[in-house]
Amino acid sequence: MIGEHSSKQYDHELETIRSKVLLMGGIVETQFLDAMTCFRIGNLERADRVIAEDDEVNQLEVALDDACSHLIVRRQPTANDLRTVMATIKVITDLERIGDEAAKIARTSKNLHGRGAVGVNHYEMVRTIATATSDMLHDALDAFARLDGKQALQLIAQDAVIDHEFRSIMRNLITFMMEDPRTISSALDTLWVAKAIERIGDHAKNIAEYVIYVVEGKDIRHSKQAHSIPDNPLP
Amino acid sequence: MIGEHSSKQYDHELETIRSKVLLMGGIVETQFLDAMTCFRIGNLERADRVIAEDDEVNQLEVALDDACSHLIVRRQPTANDLRTVMATIKVITDLERIGDEAAKIARTSKNLHGRGAVGVNHYEMVRTIATATSDMLHDALDAFARLDGKQALQLIAQDAVIDHEFRSIMRNLITFMMEDPRTISSALDTLWVAKAIERIGDHAKNIAEYVIYVVEGKDIRHSKQAHSIPDNPLP
């Protein structure tokens, strides 16, 4: 966070907020990975932990919004510092929603494994989208930590890949359900998990866009730039 | 917006932002109602209009975030004014997401009607959740316009009713799909529409929580208060 101010105390306050956002990011990233483990092997205890961690994430959201408000009042940030605070206020919301989606995956995993999954190799169906999304989230948090606009810009194109994979999962699951209606409940659980993963991808994309807003000083949300980037969107 | 400042120009700026938020709210409310009409009767032209309006909503989001940043720099708001600006920054995001969900409903309606709906009386399935959500959204925007904390507090309990209705729709659709696998595609389209409606309910609840934050000066998100309100949640 390179500001145009010169107060060490002010730098310290900005840095404290930033490190709390990164802490929150680390928690939701772990929540997501743990939730996917629950979905894969049905560890009910871990599922309950993912759901319980949501409280911690929610408390961090409220505390961080409060810290941003106080900073605005005390420091009256301008230019780059203000963009950082604005972006932080938005990123906090995305992180909290990622925590919500992870908790949903954990709850669905409990349902699925509690009932005994029938017919669908549920984890294999979502393996690709889960890996792509977990990488994207990790890279988005990394780009935020290092304020790396270039990395953030590359990430945005990944979201289209995730959306494409989601549609492919949906088509496959419809085929399964049609061939054997006994798979419908498990297939729907798998579909909700895929949808939650796809949402986490959306939130990771939002975070990347806010990084660009901080670094470049321009808002690329909803612009053509955000949707027409590399030739080869997956490495 | 009753501030503690005395500048008329400042009041005017706050009022301009507020009226633009209400304009944005009016647009997404209409988008949602129009999208539901498309789902009910399959008006493709109207569906395209709902999808196209999303651009306008996105532009308003960017412009309003920008206006809030400028206001923070120029006016250095404190106390009540700052809470209003913070809440506005959050509400803008929820409104934009409501526009996204409405566009999704419109796209799904095009699919469903383009293919010819089979076997499921799709609109009847979602009529109750659609009406409850549209009322909730309208009341949340109204509570924001009048900064009515009491109305906002009553609204929050409605979200649980919408979630409950969503789960009931899901159970019904699973039954349909199991009885007649030919209905699976239409049933899934209906499920996505129900899910989008349920999300719009979540966003309306968020807006109500931000109204309470402005009026009461406290953040009730994730608190017990937000989840344990009336005995009779539906009028």
Side-chain angles (χ1 to χ4, degrees):
Chain A
M1 275 188 184
I2 303 148
E4 44 288 291
H5 55 268
S6 56
S7 147
K8 275 202 171 163
Q9 177 59 25
Y10 183 6
D11 271 334
H12 177 70
E13 286 172 29
L14 277 169
E15 195 49 41
T16 303
I17 288 176
R18 197 174 82 111
S19 60
K20 273 198 185 149
V21 173
L22 293 176
L23 168 69
M24 191 177 172
I27 295 172
V28 302
E29 195 182 352
T30 306
Q31 267 187 302
F32 175 40
L33 292 174
D34 282 351
M36 290 317 301
T37 305
C38 302
F39 185 62
R40 184 162 54 82
I41 59 171
N43 181 331
L44 298 194
E45 208 176 294
R46 196 182 282 200
D48 285 331
R49 209 163 61 223
V50 170
I51 295 163
E53 273 164 352
D54 215 30
D55 277 343
E56 191 183 344
V57 172
N58 292 344
Q59 295 314 318
L60 270 169
E61 181 193 20
V62 172
L64 272 165
D65 275 346
D66 202 45
C68 289
S69 292
H70 277 95
L71 188 112
I72 290 173
V73 170
R74 272 204 311 272
R75 302 297 177 178
Q76 298 160 356
T78 56
N80 198 40
D81 291 337
L82 179 60
R83 279 203 305 277
T84 303
V85 176
M86 288 286 289
T88 302
I89 292 168
K90 300 282 195 179
V91 164
I92 295 161
T93 308
D94 284 298
L95 292 177
E96 192 270 335
R97 305 274 156 89
I98 292 172
D100 284 348
E101 299 296 339
K104 274 183 214 167
I105 295 171
R107 272 191 291 268
T108 307
S109 305
K110 282 180 75 174
N111 277 346
L112 183 85
H113 288 281
R115 209 176 46 231
V118 182
V120 177
N121 190 339
H122 57 278
Y123 185 73
E124 280 311 314
M125 300 284 293
V126 301
R127 185 191 285 277
T128 306
I129 197 173
T131 309
T133 303
S134 133
D135 289 350
M136 187 176 169
L137 176 59
H138 185 83
D139 291 351
L141 292 170
D142 187 52
F144 183 80
R146 297 185 298 105
L147 287 180
D148 183 337
K150 205 174 153 201
Q151 179 172 340
L153 200 58
Q154 282 169 345
L155 274 173
I156 288 167
Q158 292 254 23
D159 192 49
V161 178
I162 290 171
D163 290 350
H164 180 266
E165 179 63 20
F166 174 73
R167 283 190 295 275
S168 154
I169 292 169
M170 189 153 82
R171 278 192 302 274
N172 285 338
L173 284 170
I174 290 176
T175 308
F176 271 112
M177 289 191 270
M178 287 190 163
E179 282 172 1
D180 183 357
R182 285 170 307 167
T183 64
I184 286 175
S185 289
S186 304
L188 281 182
D189 281 340
T190 308
L191 199 55
W192 291 130
V193 167
K195 185 70 187 164
I197 297 171
E198 187 253 345
R199 290 260 173 198
I200 291 174
D202 284 344
H203 291 298
K205 180 186 159 203
N206 293 342
I207 293 170
E209 287 177 347
Y210 296 129
V211 171
I212 294 164
Y213 167 71
V214 174
V215 177
E216 309 270 330
K218 64 185 171 194
D219 198 330
I220 67 150
R221 288 176 297 174
H222 317 303
S223 71
K224 292 268 181 298
Q225 192 181 359
H227 304 287
S228 60
I229 305 162
D231 295 311
N232 182 10
L234 268 185
Chain B
M1 277 189 184
I2 303 149
E4 44 288 292
H5 56 268
S6 57
S7 148
K8 276 202 171 162
Q9 177 58 26
Y10 183 4
D11 272 333
H12 176 71
E13 286 172 28
L14 277 169
E15 194 49 42
T16 303
I17 288 177
R18 197 174 82 112
S19 59
K20 272 198 185 148
V21 173
L22 292 176
L23 169 70
M24 191 177 172
I27 294 172
V28 302
E29 195 182 353
T30 307
Q31 268 187 302
F32 175 39
L33 292 175
D34 282 351
M36 289 317 300
T37 305
C38 302
F39 185 61
R40 184 162 53 83
I41 59 171
N43 181 331
L44 298 193
E45 207 175 295
R46 195 182 284 200
D48 286 331
R49 210 163 60 222
V50 170
I51 295 162
E53 273 164 351
D54 215 30
D55 277 342
E56 192 184 342
V57 171
N58 293 343
Q59 294 315 316
L60 270 169
E61 181 192 21
V62 172
L64 272 165
D65 275 346
D66 203 45
C68 289
S69 293
H70 278 95
L71 187 112
I72 289 172
V73 170
R74 271 205 311 272
R75 301 297 178 178
Q76 298 160 357
T78 56
N80 198 40
D81 291 337
L82 179 61
R83 279 203 306 276
T84 303
V85 175
M86 289 285 289
T88 302
I89 292 168
K90 300 282 195 178
V91 164
I92 295 162
T93 308
D94 285 298
L95 292 177
E96 193 270 334
R97 305 273 157 90
I98 292 171
D100 283 347
E101 299 296 340
K104 272 184 214 166
I105 295 171
R107 272 192 290 269
T108 306
S109 305
K110 282 180 75 173
N111 277 346
L112 182 86
H113 288 281
R115 208 176 47 231
V118 182
V120 178
N121 189 339
H122 56 278
Y123 185 72
E124 281 310 316
M125 301 283 293
V126 302
R127 185 191 286 275
T128 305
I129 198 173
T131 309
T133 304
S134 133
D135 288 350
M136 188 176 169
L137 175 58
H138 185 82
D139 292 351
L141 292 170
D142 187 51
F144 183 80
R146 298 185 297 106
L147 287 179
D148 184 338
K150 205 174 152 201
Q151 179 171 339
L153 199 57
Q154 282 170 345
L155 273 173
I156 288 168
Q158 292 256 21
D159 193 49
V161 178
I162 290 171
D163 290 349
H164 180 265
E165 178 64 20
F166 174 74
R167 283 190 295 274
S168 153
I169 291 169
M170 190 154 82
R171 279 193 302 272
N172 285 337
L173 284 170
I174 290 177
T175 308
F176 271 112
M177 290 191 270
M178 286 189 163
E179 282 173 358
D180 183 357
R182 287 171 306 167
T183 64
I184 286 174
S185 289
S186 304
L188 281 182
D189 281 340
T190 307
L191 199 55
W192 291 129
V193 168
K195 185 71 187 164
I197 297 171
E198 187 253 345
R199 291 260 173 197
I200 291 174
D202 284 344
H203 291 298
K205 180 186 159 202
N206 294 341
I207 293 170
E209 287 177 346
Y210 296 129
V211 171
I212 293 164
Y213 168 70
V214 173
V215 177
E216 310 270 330
K218 65 185 171 194
D219 199 330
I220 67 148
R221 289 178 295 173
H222 316 304
S223 69
K224 292 268 180 299
Q225 192 181 1
H227 303 286
S228 60
I229 306 163
D231 295 310
N232 182 8
L234 267 186

